[in-house]
Amino acid sequence: MLFVLVGCSQEPIIQPEAPTEPTEPPVFIEPPMPQREVLLKNYTVLGEWANSRVTATGEDGAKGPARSQDFNPYTDWNPQALPNFAGDPGIMYELDRAYDLNKFVFTMNDTYYFDLYVSADGENETFVARITKENADLAFVEGICTLDGLQLKDIRFVRLMFTGRASNNLWVSVKEVEFFETGATDVDTSWMIPGSEPPVTEPPVTEPPVTEPPVTEPPATKLEITDYKVTGTFRNSRVWDDGNSDASYGPHLTFDGKASTFWNPCAEDQYVGEPGIIYTLNGWYDLTKIELTFSKPDMSFVVYGSSHGEIYTELTRVDSENIDTAYTENTALLDLAGEGIRYVKIILTGRPANQLWISLYEVTLSGDAVEEPEYVAPPATEPPVTEPAVTEPPVPTEPDSTKNAVISGYQLTGEFSQTRIWDDGTEDAKIGPSKSFDGDAATQWNPTAKSGYTGDPGIIYTLDGAYNLTALQMNTSTKKMYFKVYGSTDGVEFNELGLVNKDNAADLYSGSVATVNLSGAEANFVKIVFTGREDNGPWVTCNEVYLMGTAAA
C-alpha cells in the first residue's frame, strides 16, 4: 500500500491498491527424496594394534573408533598399526539393522590399503574389495575412497582389515565411514578385486605400421640406470636367497620412474656393514646432479662414483652437517662433479633414533655422456708377510669345574605378534631365536611383542646339563629391555630368580649388557619372560644371552 503524509497533524491518506486478476493457486512440487545414509549401531576393534585408541578398560578415547562414525569430518579414529601392518589390524561396524547396500564412502587422510568384507550375521562373510597399490588410484581421490555399484543384499556387518598405507606410515586416520542404499548401477566393479576379469572391450582399430629404414643413432646420451647390486649388510635387503628381488619392495623400484613405489630394506643395528646399493649406468657420464627421494627427509648417506666398478671416489654426502639444507620436502637434490662415471654407489649411514627401516622411492641422475675413460687398474696389494708361529707346549693345569653354561636348544613361550618362526616351523635365518645364543653379539633375535607385552612373551633355554647358576647376562643392543629370569630342573616347574625393570635397569645395565645375579640356583632350564622396553616399543632386541655358573654335582 502507498501512504502519503500531508502534514504532521493529519492522518495518512491510504491510496487503494490496483485490482489484480485472479490466479491459480501454486502447484506444490514435492522435493526429491534425499539419498538415505545407513545408521551405525556399534563397532569392534579387531586384530593387533600398537595403539588402538581404546583404553585398557575398553573405553573410547578422544581419538577412538567412535570418531569414525560421529558425522564430523574434523574428528578421526587415529590408531597405530604394528610394523608392516602385522597382526591383521581392523574394525567391524555393526549397522542398526540389515540393509541392501550399494555404495561405501571412507573419508581418510591418505591412501590406505585394505580388504573389505560384509555379512548378515558377522560370521558368514562375503569378500567385497581388496584395495592395493595396484588399484588404489581408482578408489581414492584426495583421501576419500568411494566404492560404488556393489548391490549387496541384507547386510548388517561391515569389516575393514588394513594391510598398509601408501606413505608407509603406521598411523591410520579414519575420519568418517558412510554406507548408502542407493548408488550407481551397471558399473564395472571388477577393479575392486585385483586379478578378477576386466570388462570386455573392443580392440581399437589400428593402421598397419609404416616401416622406415633403420637409422643409426649416435651413442646414447640419455642417462639411464640399467642394473643394480645390493652391497654391504642388511637384516632384510628385499633380495631373496635365490637372487630374485621382492616384487613389491625390491631395489629395482628405485629406478622404475614411478613416484609411488619404493625399496624398503631393513639395515642392521647402527647401520653397521655399510648397507647400500650400486647402480650401473648405460654408459659413461660426467655427472652433475643426483636426486634421492625418501619417505622422510632424515636419511644420511654417502654417494661414490667409479668408472669401471673397482676404484670408487666420494662425490657427495648428507650427514648431520648439511641434512637440514640438503632436502626439499622428502627429496635430497645434490650437485655432483664426477667425471667418466658408470657405477654409482650409495651407502646408507643412518636415520634418527637408529630407525632401521628405509623407504627409498626414486633415484635420478643427471649428466653428460662421454667416451669411456682409460682403464686404471686398482693398486696391487702385496700379501702380508707373516712369520711362522712358534707353538709352545701347553702348561699342564688343574681341571676347572667352572664354565659358562652351554645352551643346547630352546622353545618359545607366551604370545608374540611375530616370533620370527615361520608357519612351516623354520626360523628366520637372520633374526630368529637361535641368534640369541650363537656366540655372536652382532646378531640378534628380533621378535615383536603384543601391545603392553601381554601374554608373557618369552623363551625357554635348555642347558646341556645341570648348573649352579651365578649370573645371567643379556646384550640388548641399543635399547634397554625389561625381563624376568626363571630357573627349573625339570622344565615344568619354574622359580623366579631375578628381574630387570625400569626401577633397577640403571644399576643392572652396563652399556647394552644387563647382568642379573642368580645366587647359585640349580637349573637345567632357564626361562626369560620379556616385560617391556625403555621406550615402550614392541620390538624385542636380544643379541646374546650368557649364563655363568658351575656344573652341578
Side-chain angles (χ1 to χ4, degrees):
M1 295 184 181
L2 178 64
F3 295 89
V4 179
L5 296 179
V6 177
C8 294
S9 62
Q10 295 184 4
E11 294 295 325
I13 300 174
I14 301 174
Q15 299 293 340
E17 293 182 342
T20 59
E21 295 294 329
T23 59
E24 294 292 331
V27 177
F28 175 73
I29 300 175
E30 184 176 356
M33 180 66 69
Q35 178 173 283
R36 179 181 182 186
E37 185 172 6
V38 173
L39 299 179
L40 299 175
K41 177 182 178 181
N42 204 351
Y43 69 83
T44 303
V45 175
L46 305 173
E48 299 172 15
W49 297 88
N51 184 351
S52 69
R53 297 295 192 175
V54 177
T55 66
T57 58
E59 298 175 357
D60 190 85
K63 288 283 190 176
R67 304 287 81 75
S68 67
Q69 55 187 70
D70 62 356
F71 299 99
N72 184 352
Y74 299 102
T75 62
D76 68 341
W77 176 37
N78 187 215
Q80 183 187 20
L82 295 171
N84 297 318
F85 282 74
D88 296 329
I91 189 169
M92 180 179 287
Y93 293 102
E94 180 183 358
L95 313 182
D96 67 325
R97 63 174 177 83
Y99 290 87
D100 293 344
L101 300 179
N102 199 62
K103 182 170 75 169
F104 295 178
V105 178
F106 305 108
T107 301
M108 303 179 180
N109 70 331
D110 195 1
T111 297
Y112 291 87
Y113 308 139
F114 60 85
D115 292 346
L116 176 65
Y117 302 83
V118 297
S119 69
D121 56 5
E123 295 181 357
N124 300 298
E125 294 183 317
T126 299
F127 180 35
V128 175
R130 169 165 292 163
I131 305 304
T132 67
K133 67 178 181 180
E134 283 76 19
N135 62 357
D137 291 344
L138 299 174
F140 278 89
V141 176
E142 296 183 351
I144 299 177
C145 175
T146 302
L147 306 177
D148 204 351
L150 298 173
Q151 301 183 41
L152 303 170
K153 301 295 184 182
D154 195 29
I155 302 304
R156 188 164 185 177
F157 295 88
V158 178
R159 180 164 68 101
L160 273 173
M161 302 301 292
F162 291 93
T163 57
R165 180 174 172 179
S167 61
N168 203 35
N169 192 314
L170 298 179
W171 287 99
V172 175
S173 175
V174 183
K175 299 177 183 294
E176 285 298 313
V177 296
E178 301 171 277
F179 310 125
F180 300 93
E181 294 180 282
T182 58
T185 58
D186 297 327
V187 296
D188 171 36
T189 61
S190 63
W191 62 268
M192 297 181 191
I193 304 178
S196 60
E197 291 295 326
V200 177
T201 58
E202 293 296 328
V205 178
T206 58
E207 295 294 331
V210 178
T211 303
E212 297 288 341
V215 178
T216 303
E217 296 288 341
T221 57
K222 180 183 178 182
L223 191 156
E224 295 179 351
I225 297 173
T226 59
D227 200 2
Y228 73 89
K229 180 177 72 173
V230 172
T231 183
T233 305
F234 288 89
R235 287 189 187 178
N236 185 347
S237 67
R238 300 295 186 177
V239 177
W240 311 133
D241 293 340
D242 60 4
N244 290 321
S245 172
D246 186 313
S248 299
Y249 300 106
H252 64 286
L253 299 175
T254 60
F255 56 97
D256 64 351
K258 298 178 181 178
S260 60
T261 61
F262 57 94
W263 178 33
N264 186 216
C266 182
E268 293 284 4
D269 189 51
Q270 301 298 326
Y271 284 72
V272 298
E274 297 190 343
I277 189 169
I278 298 174
Y279 295 108
T280 302
L281 310 183
N282 62 330
W284 285 265
Y285 293 85
D286 288 346
L287 297 178
T288 56
K289 290 185 182 296
I290 186 171
E291 295 181 47
L292 297 93
T293 301
F294 295 93
S295 59
K296 291 183 178 181
D298 61 2
M299 176 61 70
S300 298
F301 57 89
V302 184
V303 181
Y304 301 85
S306 173
S307 61
H308 292 87
E310 295 177 342
I311 303 174
Y312 282 90
T313 303
E314 182 177 330
L315 302 180
T316 188
R317 67 169 54 217
V318 171
D319 54 25
S320 60
E321 299 295 324
N322 66 344
I323 194 167
D324 292 335
T325 58
Y327 282 91
T328 300
E329 295 184 347
N330 296 334
T331 300
L333 176 59
L334 305 167
D335 292 329
L336 301 179
E339 298 181 355
I341 302 299
R342 188 173 186 182
Y343 300 90
V344 176
K345 178 165 65 174
I346 300 170
I347 300 298
L348 306 163
T349 56
R351 291 184 66 193
N354 195 35
Q355 298 178 60
L356 303 180
W357 287 100
I358 302 152
S359 297
L360 176 54
Y361 282 74
E362 202 70 17
V363 174
T364 305
L365 291 155
S366 302
D368 299 318
V370 296
E371 296 295 326
E372 178 181 358
E374 180 181 355
Y375 173 73
V376 177
T381 57
E382 294 292 334
V385 178
T386 58
E387 295 292 332
V390 178
T391 305
E392 295 290 338
V395 178
T397 59
E398 292 295 325
D400 186 358
S401 61
T402 65
K403 69 183 181 78
N404 288 348
V406 175
I407 297 173
S408 59
Y410 73 87
Q411 68 180 76
L412 300 188
T413 181
E415 301 175 6
F416 290 86
S417 290
Q418 169 58 268
T419 63
R420 301 303 180 183
I421 295 180
W422 311 131
D423 293 339
D424 61 2
T426 61
E427 70 169 63
D428 189 305
K430 293 185 177 180
I431 51 176
S434 65
K435 296 300 179 183
S436 66
F437 59 96
D438 64 353
D440 185 356
T443 64
Q444 70 175 207
W445 176 35
N446 186 215
T448 307
K450 291 190 172 183
S451 178
Y453 284 73
T454 58
D456 294 333
I459 187 169
I460 298 173
Y461 294 110
T462 302
L463 310 184
D464 68 340
Y467 290 86
N468 295 320
L469 298 175
T470 58
L472 176 145
Q473 289 187 332
M474 183 188 297
N475 186 328
T476 64
S477 187
T478 59
K479 299 296 181 182
K480 292 181 174 65
M481 298 298 308
Y482 305 142
F483 56 91
K484 293 182 178 180
V485 183
Y486 300 82
S488 171
T489 57
D490 58 6
V492 178
E493 296 292 333
F494 283 87
N495 298 313
E496 184 174 334
L497 304 179
L499 67 102
V500 178
N501 57 28
K502 65 179 180 181
D503 296 325
N504 64 10
D507 297 327
L508 299 184
Y509 269 93
S510 175
S512 62
V513 177
T515 302
V516 181
N517 183 5
L518 302 183
S519 304
E522 182 176 347
N524 297 70
F525 302 87
V526 173
K527 178 168 70 172
I528 297 173
V529 174
F530 298 100
T531 57
R533 181 169 133 158
E534 63 176 339
D535 62 354
N536 297 319
W539 302 278
V540 176
T541 54
C542 182
N543 287 47
E544 200 71 21
V545 171
Y546 307 95
L547 290 162
M548 280 70 77
T550 60

